[in-house]
C-alpha cells in the first residue's frame, strides 16, 4: 500500500482511534467550535469519512465565551461491550467527562463527570472493570501519568488516583493511553509540546499499575530533528489493530508552508503510520521512527486508492457535518438550503468572544481556489479567513443603496489592523474570489466580466507561530449588522477547488 500523510487534512488534531467490527472510528479535538468532537469512519485506515459529531447539544458542549483555543481538548474513543465511549476535557471548565452512544451515527449521552484532574483523558477496560487515565502532577508537582478505577455507569471513582509513570523527562507530558497486548501493559504518551519538539514515547509493565519500564529506543516517533522537512510536530496518537492483523498508529502532525519558513496555518492534522512488533515484545513506529509524507507498506495490498482532489459546493457539502460555528450559534440567524445560505447579522463582531453570525469550513489544503456570490442587503457580509478572534482576514461586502463596497481587511493581534483595498461597485450582488498558495492569499472581485485583483496577504500571520494557540485556519462566511435590522445576506454559487 502507498499513501500520503496527512490522511485527514485541516484542523483535526489529537486523533484517537478504535475498531468496531470491520470498521474504524476516529475522533479529534474541536476546541470552541460547535458541534464538538468530529467522528470519522474508515474501512482501510487511509480514507476517512466525516460521519458526525459526539457533542451536538449545549448540555454537552459548554463553550460560551471561551477562547478559540479553549473548550474541548484531546478526546479518546473506545468501543466496549457494544457501546462507544468518548472521553475528553473541557479545558475552560477544568472538567473531565465522557459521553456514550450505542449508535455511532446517533446522539450521544449527556456528560458524565470524572473527579480527576489533568487533561487528555483516556479509558481502559479490562473484564468488567473500567479505568480512567489522564496526565497530571504528582505530590511534588512533577508531571505524570495517573489512573484510577471508576464506575463506568456514574463516573464515580472506585480507587485512589495513582501515579503510573513520569515519562522520559520531556516537557508537557500528555496524551496517555493504556493498552494490554498479550501479557504486557503498554503505556503510551507524548512529550516536547505539540510543536516542533513533539515526540512519542512508551513503556511497559506486567501490571497495569506499574512499575513501567521505558522503551530503550524512545522517542519511538518524532520529526524534531528533520530541519526543512515539510511534515513536523509528529506526536500525540493512538494505536489500533486492523481486521487483517496489521498495526497502525494514528497521530497528529502539521505541514509547514515552506522548507525554509517554519510557519503552519492549517492546524494540526491526522497522519497514519505502520506499527511493527519486534520479537522481544517492543514495537517501532513509522519509517525508522520518523513520520514520512509518502509512505509505502509493502505487505498490504495496493487496492486502496487515496484521493485528495475535491470540488466543494453548497450542494456537495452537508450542513450538519461539514460546517462549524463559533461557540453556541443562534440558529435563528441561519437559513440553509441545498443551493444557498442566508445569514442575518447581529452586533457581534468576529473579534469578540461571542457567537457572531459565522459558519465555516476548515481550510484543508495550502493551494485552493474559492469563488462565491454575496448579496449583503443593508449590512456587512463576507468571507473570513479566520485563525482566532485576534488573527483573521476578511473580504467584506457592505450593502449600500443600489451598490456595494468591497474591502479587504486584516487583523493581526494588537499590533496591526486595517485594509489593503476598497472598491465601490454599482451592483447589489458581487462575486468574490480567493486564491491561495502556501505563502499568500490573493483577493479578487468580479465586475463587468473582469477579475479585478484587490491585493494579497501573507498566510504566516494566521499561523500558530504568530497567533499562538492550537487551532487552524477556517474559511468562514459571516454577517454583521450593528443596527440589528433583521436583514438577510444571501450567499450562493460556492466553489472551493483544490488543485
Amino acid at each position: 500500500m502507498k499513501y500520503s500523510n496527512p490522511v485527514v487534512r485541516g484542523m483535526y488534531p489529537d486523533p484517537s482511534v478504535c475498531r468496531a467490527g470491520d470498521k474504524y472510528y476516529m475522533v479529534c479535538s474541536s476546541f470552541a467550535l460547535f458541534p464538538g468532537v468530529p467522528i470519522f469512519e474508515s474501512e482501510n485506515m487511509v480514507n476517512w469519512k466525516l460521519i458526525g459529531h459526539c457533542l451536538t447539544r449545549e448540555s454537552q458542549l459548554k463553550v460560551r465565551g471561551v477562547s478559540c483555543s479553549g473548550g474541548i481538548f484531546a478526546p479518546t474513543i473506545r468501543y466496549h461491550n457494544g457501546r462507544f465511549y468518548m472521553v475528553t476535557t473541557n479545558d475552560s471548565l477544568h472538567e473531565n467527562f465522557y459521553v456514550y452512544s450505542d449508535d455511532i451515527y446517533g446522539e450521544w449521552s449527556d456528560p458524565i463527570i470524572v473527579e480527576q484532574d489533568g487533561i487528555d483523558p483516556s479509558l481502559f477496560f479490562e473484564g468488567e472493570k473500567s479505568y480512567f487515565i489522564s496526565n497530571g502532577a504528582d505530590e511534588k508537582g512533577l508531571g505524570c501519568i495517573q489512573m484510577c478505577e471508576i464506575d463506568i455507569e456514574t463516573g464515580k471513582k472506585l480507587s485512589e488516583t495513582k501515579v503510573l509513570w513520569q515519562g522520559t523527562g520531556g516537557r508537557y507530558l500528555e496524551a496517555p493511553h493504556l493498552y494490554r497486548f498479550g501479557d504486557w501493559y503498554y503505556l503510551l504518551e507524548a512529550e516536547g509540546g505539540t510543536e516542533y519538539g513533539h515526540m512519542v514515547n512508551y513503556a511497559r509493565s506486567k501490571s497495569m499499575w506499574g512499575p513501567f519500564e521505558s522503551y530503550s529506543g524512545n522517542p519511538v516517533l518524532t520529526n524534531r530533528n528533520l530541519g526543512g522537512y515539510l511534515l513536523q510536530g509528529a506526536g500525540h496518537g493512538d494505536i489500533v489493530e486492523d481486521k487483517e492483523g496489521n498495526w497502525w498508529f494514528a497521530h497528529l502532525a502539521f505541514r509547514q508552508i515552506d522548507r525554509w519558513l517554519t510557519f503552519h496555518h492549517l492546524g494540526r492534522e491526522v497522519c497514519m503510520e505502520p506499527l511493527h512488533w519486534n520479537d522481544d515484545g517492543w514495537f517501532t513506529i513509522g519509517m525508522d521512527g520518523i513520520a514520512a509524507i509518502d509512505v509505502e507498506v509493502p505487505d498490504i495490498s495496493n487496492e486502496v486508492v487515496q484521493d485528495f482532489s475535491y470540488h466543494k459546493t453548497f450542494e456537495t457539502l452537508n450542513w450538519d457535518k461539514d460546517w462549524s460555528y463559533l461557540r453556541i450559534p443562534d440558529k435563528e440567524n441561519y437559513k440553509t438550503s441545498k443551493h444557498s445560505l442566508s445569514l442575518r447579522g447581529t452586533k457581534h463582531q468576529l473579534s469578540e468572544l461571542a457567537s457572531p453570525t459565522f459558519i465555516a469550513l476548515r481550510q484543508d489544503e495550502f493551494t485552493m481556489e474559492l469563488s462565491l456570490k454575496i448579496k449583503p442587503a443593508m449590512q456587512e457580509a463576507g468571507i473570513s479567513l479566520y485563525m482566532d478572534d485576534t488573527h483573521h482576514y476578511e473580504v467584506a461586502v457592505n450593502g449600500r443603496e443600489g451598490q456595494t463596497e468591497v474591502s479587504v481587511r486584516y487583523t493581526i493581534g494588537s499590533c496591526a489592523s486595517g485594509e489593503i483595498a476598497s472598491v465601490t461597485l454599482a451592483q447589489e450582488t458581487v462575486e468574490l474570489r480567493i486564491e491561495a498558495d502556501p505563502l499568500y492569499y490573493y483577493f479578487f472581485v468580479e465586475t463587468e466580466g473582469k477579475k479585478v485583483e484587490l491585493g494579497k496577504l501573507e498566510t504566516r500571520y494566521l499561523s500558530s507561530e504568530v497567533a499562538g494557540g492550537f487551532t487552524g485556519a477556517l474559511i468562514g462566511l459571516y454577517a454583521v449588522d450593528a443596527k440589528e435590522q433583521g436583514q438577510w445576506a444571501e450567499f450562493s454559487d460556492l466553489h472551493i477547488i483544490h488543485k
Side-chain angles (χ1 to χ4, degrees):
M1 176 193 288
K2 295 180 180 179
Y3 65 92
S4 295
N5 278 318
V7 296
V8 180
R9 303 188 169 206
M11 186 189 65
Y12 292 106
D14 309 320
S16 173
V17 291
C18 73
R19 175 184 166 190
D22 289 339
K23 294 184 179 180
Y24 315 98
Y25 298 93
M26 177 190 298
V27 293
C28 301
S29 295
S30 55
F31 305 106
L33 295 181
F34 181 94
V37 185
I39 311 168
F40 293 86
E41 181 182 75
S42 178
E43 296 181 354
N44 53 41
M45 308 302 294
V46 171
N47 295 312
W48 294 85
K49 179 182 178 181
L50 181 64
I51 62 170
H53 294 77
C54 296
L55 307 179
T56 57
R57 309 183 298 276
E58 188 171 3
S59 62
Q60 303 166 310
L61 186 58
K62 300 174 183 178
V63 292
R64 287 189 183 273
V66 309
S67 70
C68 290
S69 288
I72 302 302
F73 279 23
T76 295
I77 188 169
R78 292 292 181 259
Y79 183 66
H80 178 67
N81 288 345
R83 172 168 287 181
F84 291 93
Y85 296 87
M86 188 282 296
V87 57
T88 188
T89 303
N90 187 327
D91 189 63
S92 299
L93 300 178
H94 307 293
E95 185 175 82
N96 286 314
F97 69 91
Y98 59 91
V99 293
Y100 62 86
S101 177
D102 296 328
D103 177 7
I104 194 71
Y105 308 104
E107 289 289 308
W108 292 64
S109 72
D110 276 343
I112 299 174
I113 309 299
V114 179
E115 297 294 341
Q116 179 166 294
D117 64 358
I119 62 171
D120 297 3
S122 185
L123 292 173
F124 176 71
F125 298 96
E126 186 164 75
E128 297 304 312
K129 293 188 176 183
S130 307
Y131 301 88
F132 182 88
I133 306 106
S134 65
N135 77 349
D138 66 10
E139 58 185 13
K140 296 180 180 179
L142 300 176
C144 70
I145 305 301
Q146 56 188 2
M147 184 172 75
C148 67
E149 184 183 351
I150 63 169
D151 180 344
I152 197 62
E153 297 297 325
T154 65
K156 181 180 178 180
K157 290 177 65 173
L158 300 180
S159 73
E160 294 296 318
T161 296
K162 181 180 178 180
V163 173
L164 300 184
W165 191 39
Q166 292 181 309
T168 67
R171 64 176 182 164
Y172 304 135
L173 177 60
E174 59 184 277
H177 293 303
L178 182 66
Y179 315 89
R180 184 172 183 177
F181 302 137
D183 295 331
W184 293 93
Y185 295 88
Y186 293 82
L187 185 56
L188 185 79
E189 47 92 324
E191 299 174 18
T194 183
E195 49 199 69
Y196 289 87
H198 214 21
M199 55 182 166
V200 179
N201 303 295
Y202 75 99
R204 72 180 187 183
S205 173
K206 285 293 181 71
S207 167
M208 71 172 67
W209 298 104
F212 282 86
E213 177 190 0
S214 179
Y215 171 52
S216 62
N218 281 328
V220 67
L221 184 76
T222 186
N223 282 16
R224 63 185 181 181
N225 295 321
L226 297 182
Y229 194 60
L230 293 183
L231 192 66
Q232 293 287 339
H236 194 130
D238 202 0
I239 297 171
V240 66
E241 181 185 12
D242 71 20
K243 58 189 177 183
E244 307 297 334
N246 304 299
W247 292 79
W248 298 90
F249 181 64
H251 67 95
L252 66 79
F254 56 80
R255 290 174 285 165
Q256 64 184 52
I257 62 176
D258 181 80
R259 179 179 180 183
W260 305 112
L261 295 173
T262 53
F263 300 93
H264 73 284
H265 62 284
L266 300 187
R268 296 167 297 157
E269 306 173 294
V270 180
C271 295
M272 193 69 64
E273 310 298 334
L275 182 151
H276 298 289
W277 289 96
N278 302 324
D279 292 338
D280 56 7
W282 297 99
F283 59 80
T284 59
I285 298 175
M287 299 175 65
D288 297 322
I290 291 171
I293 295 173
D294 296 312
V295 182
E296 182 173 3
V297 188
D299 50 346
I300 299 180
S301 169
N302 282 322
E303 292 180 1
V304 175
V305 178
Q306 190 179 33
D307 183 11
F308 287 127
S309 64
Y310 60 71
H311 182 183
K312 297 179 181 179
T313 66
F314 286 139
E315 292 82 1
T316 61
L317 294 166
N318 184 298
W319 289 110
D320 295 324
K321 296 176 184 177
D322 296 307
W323 296 85
S324 296
Y325 306 85
L326 287 174
R327 305 170 189 93
I328 307 300
D330 183 348
K331 288 292 188 71
E332 293 184 352
N333 294 323
Y334 302 80
K335 293 179 182 178
T336 59
S337 73
K338 182 177 181 180
H339 303 288
S340 65
L341 167 71
S342 296
L343 298 180
R344 180 169 59 188
T346 70
K347 63 183 179 181
H348 294 301
Q349 304 283 334
L350 298 184
S351 294
E352 297 180 36
L353 294 181
S355 187
T357 302
F358 175 96
I359 185 169
L361 302 168
R362 291 158 172 82
Q363 183 182 344
D364 50 15
E365 293 292 355
F366 291 130
T367 303
M368 68 168 184
E369 295 181 1
L370 181 156
S371 62
L372 176 69
K373 292 180 180 178
I374 302 178
K375 185 178 181 180
M378 300 299 288
Q379 62 181 328
E380 177 178 310
I383 306 170
S384 178
L385 299 166
Y386 186 93
M387 183 65 164
D388 62 26
D389 52 290
T390 57
H391 298 81
H392 47 90
Y393 300 152
E394 277 77 58
V395 188
V397 183
N398 280 276
R400 304 285 188 263
E401 289 291 345
Q403 61 184 21
T404 55
E405 181 184 63
V406 181
S407 57
V408 178
R409 299 197 304 249
Y410 58 90
T411 299
I412 306 171
S414 60
C415 64
S417 62
E419 67 179 34
I420 62 170
S422 180
V423 60
T424 299
L425 305 175
Q427 56 196 70
E428 294 183 345
T429 299
V430 296
E431 182 173 355
L432 304 179
R433 293 184 179 272
I434 298 175
E435 297 178 5
D437 61 30
L439 304 186
Y440 289 97
Y441 295 107
Y442 304 85
F443 304 94
F444 306 88
V445 63
E446 292 275 346
T447 179
E448 298 180 351
K450 297 180 180 179
K451 178 178 158 184
V452 178
E453 183 170 358
L454 300 174
K456 66 181 181 180
L457 290 166
E458 294 92 337
T459 61
R460 63 181 173 178
Y461 294 126
L462 300 187
S463 69
S464 295
E465 288 75 19
V466 173
F470 306 119
T471 60
L474 302 174
I475 302 169
L477 311 182
Y478 76 96
V480 176
D481 184 358
K483 297 180 180 179
E484 296 190 334
Q485 305 165 89
Q487 303 209 10
W488 291 88
E490 299 175 8
F491 299 75
S492 60
D493 291 335
L494 172 69
H495 296 273
I496 304 176
I497 301 172
H498 161 59
K499 292 186 176 181

